[in-house]
Amino acid sequence: MSTFSPATRVIFFQVNENGNKLKKILETAQLHFVKKEPILFFVEEEKSEKFVDELLWKQPAASFLPHVASDGPTNDFVAITKSKNNVNQAKIAFNLCPTALLLNETFKIIYEFEDLTAPVKKNLSSQRFDAYKKAGFFIEAR
């Protein structure tokens, strides 16, 4: 049985086009990197991991965001993982998986997309929302 902290905030970013998703990923990673707060991006498979990895290396155009893709322990402030482990001991997570992030980890903030780009993605977003609500997390929309 997992134990969850009701103090965890789940923030759903409402997006209706793919460009907005990329912008939110970059803005969120940059925000926490500047504050020196470790952030962990959870992805489902290697293709997604590679995509987020390349996005963070290429954007913003004038620089890049130092990060690592790792399924094992790391000290990097920004990490991307396919594992279901908190590889950089972050208190902030960005879930890019189709299912809710319900781990035995205590995150202060979990970012999610309320993805309105396609009916299937909207349905998956609703399922994640319901799972977080059932687990007792504090949920907000932006």
Side-chain angles (χ1 to χ4, degrees), residues 101-113:
L101 189 63
L102 301 175
L103 306 177
N104 284 328
E105 300 282 346
T106 304
F107 291 104
K108 200 169 75 173
I109 300 171
I110 299 172
Y111 293 105
E112 285 277 357
F113 285 127

Side-chain angles (χ1 to χ4, degrees), residues 51-70:
F51 181 84
V52 175
D53 184 37
E54 288 179 12
L55 176 69
L56 295 178
W57 281 127
K58 293 176 182 173
Q59 299 290 329
S63 65
F64 63 89
L65 195 59
H67 65 280
V68 67
S70 178

